[in-house]
Amino acid sequence: MVRESFHWLINIMNEFNLDISDIEKRMSGAIASLKNDFLSLRTGRASSSMLEPVVVEVYGSKLPLDQCATVTVPESRVLSVNVWDVNNVNMVEKALINSGLGLTPQTEGNFIRLIIPELNEERRKELAKLAATYAENAKIAIRNVRKDGMDKIKKFRNEGMSEDESQIWSDEIQTMTDKMTLSIESLQKEKQSEIVKF
């Protein structure tokens, strides 16, 4: 019985070209983008992930920092960047300055130290507000993907998809939307707690 209903759903998907995995992929992309946005928010505590968005122009192409240097956290408010090729130190330094993280590199040979300044109360509030904005943008992106999916179902409904079939797919998309929205809220809460804590 379960197997038969599964095949029935697959047939509906094939007949009406409803790609639920694409909808899920696009929603997951919004969460990945949010996580990346959160990495750029300095919280007063050093974390190697802070430098993940940094891209360095070396060897005639743009590379992520971790492909030309090793990042370590020797102290709670210090990041150490060990540039593998001494000829790339200036380019890594330039990329760190232009990264928008507001950190000042201190260079010694092929080692670059970055000291994370303490956050004052006003800056913490700004960061918490920015985290909320990033989270809201991610929710909007998810709602837009949901709307695309629902519009497709409405179109298929006009082309002969039964009410039961359209309800099944509508419920599937809504469940996915709710799950992704909860994930965003959880990430936001975690980030804001991290901002306030340090």
Side-chain angles (χ1 to χ4, degrees):
M1 182 73 179
V2 172
R3 195 177 175 135
E4 281 173 22
S5 60
F6 175 74
H7 286 299
W8 176 69
L9 289 174
I10 294 297
N11 289 339
I12 293 167
M13 283 174 65
N14 292 339
E15 184 184 344
F16 292 102
N17 194 20
L18 186 63
D19 190 353
I20 211 84
S21 64
D22 179 60
I23 292 169
E24 186 172 20
K25 187 177 172 184
R26 287 170 59 203
M27 286 185 178
S28 296
I31 290 180
S33 179
L34 175 64
K35 287 177 179 176
N36 203 38
D37 288 340
F38 281 171
L39 286 177
S40 68
L41 297 179
R42 279 196 299 111
T43 58
R45 181 183 181 133
S47 165
S48 58
S49 64
M50 288 172 68
L51 302 184
E52 280 179 18
V54 177
V55 176
V56 186
E57 206 165 316
V58 289
Y59 311 120
S61 61
K62 293 183 177 186
L63 295 175
L65 178 63
D66 66 0
Q67 289 186 19
C68 56
T70 304
V71 179
T72 56
V73 185
E75 297 170 45
S76 65
R77 287 185 38 239
V78 177
L79 286 169
S80 176
V81 181
N82 179 8
V83 184
W84 301 334
D85 183 343
V86 75
N87 297 318
N88 294 331
V89 170
N90 289 341
M91 297 311 284
V92 171
E93 200 175 35
K94 185 179 172 185
L96 290 166
I97 291 167
N98 295 333
S99 68
L101 292 170
L103 302 173
T104 307
Q106 298 171 0
T107 309
E108 218 175 279
N110 62 328
F111 280 94
I112 300 172
R113 280 170 53 89
L114 299 161
I115 298 176
I116 315 296
E118 293 245 12
L119 295 177
N120 61 29
E121 192 59 35
E122 187 180 326
R123 183 64 182 142
R124 286 178 203 277
K125 285 178 184 171
E126 284 173 20
L127 288 174
K129 202 180 282 187
L130 194 53
T133 301
Y134 287 158
E136 187 53 38
N137 289 343
K139 284 181 185 177
I140 289 168
I142 292 214
R143 286 195 295 268
N144 287 339
V145 174
R146 176 193 175 278
K147 184 183 181 309
D148 288 351
M150 294 301 194
D151 286 349
K152 219 172 216 184
I153 290 169
K154 195 181 286 184
K155 179 180 167 261
F156 292 152
R157 184 88 173 86
N158 293 335
E159 292 173 5
M161 181 184 267
S162 76
E163 195 173 324
D164 286 348
E165 292 165 351
S166 67
Q167 189 61 54
I168 287 168
W169 291 116
S170 296
D171 290 348
E172 179 77 19
I173 291 170
Q174 187 58 53
T175 299
M176 205 180 294
T177 303
D178 294 343
K179 181 181 152 199
M180 299 288 183
T181 302
L182 281 173
S183 182
I184 288 170
E185 287 168 359
S186 171
L187 287 168
Q188 179 186 348
K189 193 175 176 184
E190 189 180 310
K191 191 64 180 182
Q192 287 180 321
S193 158
E194 187 184 317
I195 289 165
V196 171
K197 192 175 176 186
F198 294 104

